[in-house]
Amino acid sequence: MIGRSHLALAAALAACLTGAAGFAYGLSVGAAQEQAAQRRADAARYAKRAKLQGQIDASTEQHQSAEYSRQNNVRTIYRESQKIVDRPVYSTLCVDADGVGLLDRAAATANGDDIWGIAGDTRPIADSPAN
């Protein structure tokens, strides 16, 4: 028959199997708890994201309505003005005498020369030398 050592061995084997089964059960329970915690965290992140997106949408809508009202208050006025040309300048013709005088004055001013001795001098002429 079965001896005491065999029963002890069977009891030890049953204890090992029970422990292994308990360990496996604990792993599955822990994994389920971890998954539940992850789902709760995901739901909290989703709720926070939805709240922030709602705030962004409200802000965008408010900005758009303010922009529409601003655009309604702004009026664009188009006016046509007639351009009057005194002396037309053409690239194929020479510049008239007044234009040459102005160019000479500009060159003299740029070079630091006396501008009174050039064509187009408007200085009054003295009748006699100054005393």
Side-chain angles (χ1 to χ4, degrees):
M1 299 253 191
I2 299 178
R4 196 177 263 226
S5 64
H6 286 106
L7 284 176
L9 186 61
L13 184 60
C16 285
L17 289 176
T18 304
F23 179 75
Y25 176 74
L27 282 179
S28 66
V29 168
Q33 289 175 348
E34 184 64 30
Q35 288 172 357
Q38 188 65 39
R39 279 193 296 272
R40 284 192 301 273
D42 289 344
R45 277 195 301 271
Y46 180 76
K48 187 174 182 179
R49 180 175 168 246
K51 179 182 174 186
L52 289 175
Q53 188 63 44
Q55 290 174 349
I56 290 170
D57 292 343
S59 174
T60 302
E61 186 176 321
Q62 179 183 7
H63 178 268
Q64 283 179 347
S65 66
E67 181 65 21
Y68 288 144
S69 67
R70 186 194 67 78
Q71 286 178 357
N72 288 336
N73 292 336
V74 173
R75 285 184 283 162
T76 305
I77 300 172
Y78 296 100
R79 291 187 182 150
E80 291 184 20
S81 61
Q82 185 178 6
K83 193 172 191 179
I84 300 172
V85 178
D86 249 349
R87 286 177 246 129
V89 178
Y90 302 102
S91 62
T92 58
L93 299 176
C94 293
V95 180
D96 62 350
D98 289 339
V100 171
L102 289 174
L103 291 173
D104 288 343
R105 280 179 175 239
T109 302
N111 293 330
D113 297 338
D114 180 27
I115 61 171
W116 294 113
I118 334 179
D121 188 0
T122 58
R123 205 170 23 167
I125 299 173
D127 292 335
S128 64
N131 291 337

